[in-house]
Amino acid sequence: MSFSTSLTNHFLIAMPGLQDPNFSRTVTYVCEHTDQGAMGIVINRPLDVRLGELLDQLEIVALRPSVEQIPVYQGGPVQTDRGFVLHTAGPTFDSTLSITSDISVTTSRDVLEAIASGEGPEQTLVALGYAGWGSGQLEQEMSANAWLSGPASHEIIFRMDPSARWLAAAQLLGVDLNLLSGEAGHA
């Protein structure tokens, strides 16, 4: 694998042997990967928090009750007090980074106001915090076999049950992570 290739819009899938509690059995969507480093959002770690609680803290009124039940994810160990919204294309907001023509990440309050009023992007994943790597760090971890990487999937990010995302992301590459487990009897 050539590390000169950007992993933007790819999944990082934690290998079974990755013991770091921040990333064990995670799937991270890479929002940006350059020579300066990488930034991503973990997409399979729902917190015991619903969007309604965040909206209340921000004094944003949800006009649709279903919005209050949207799960909030642990996006990674960096800036865990800051919100990141992965979403499909649609309106642009104050702080939106377009990752592809149909996926963006927004960090400004206005995206939450739009979601609360029912005017937000069609599909969203709301996270607190992000995963970050300094220059060369992700490449080093890749060469140490901490991660598998492969193309991202809307279905996995936005529609699939979070508990199925880790295995499903690897299955896109034809890999059964259960067969790679280093511990016998723990599929």
Side-chain angles (χ1 to χ4, degrees), residues 32-136:
E32 189 171 44
H33 182 214
T34 67
D35 292 342
Q36 287 77 48
M39 178 264 178
I41 305 291
V42 175
I43 64 163
N44 67 326
R45 287 256 175 102
L47 294 166
D48 194 21
V49 174
R50 296 284 175 236
L51 185 55
E53 295 171 59
L54 291 185
L55 295 176
D56 286 348
Q57 288 178 12
L58 296 168
E59 298 179 2
I60 297 172
V61 176
L63 300 180
R64 293 176 43 211
S66 61
V67 165
E68 295 179 346
Q69 295 308 310
I70 294 173
V72 175
Y73 290 77
Q74 179 185 343
V78 183
Q79 291 189 338
T80 56
D81 58 340
R82 187 165 175 207
F84 296 82
V85 181
L86 267 180
H87 57 87
T88 50
T92 55
F93 302 95
D94 290 342
S95 296
T96 298
L97 168 68
S98 289
I99 301 162
T100 68
S101 61
D102 51 351
I103 296 184
S104 298
V105 62
T106 298
T107 57
S108 48
R109 175 187 174 100
D110 56 345
V111 70
L112 294 176
E113 291 169 345
I115 292 167
S117 70
E119 314 261 322
E122 187 178 323
Q123 296 176 309
T124 60
L125 184 144
V126 178
L128 291 175
Y130 70 93
W133 293 266
S135 179

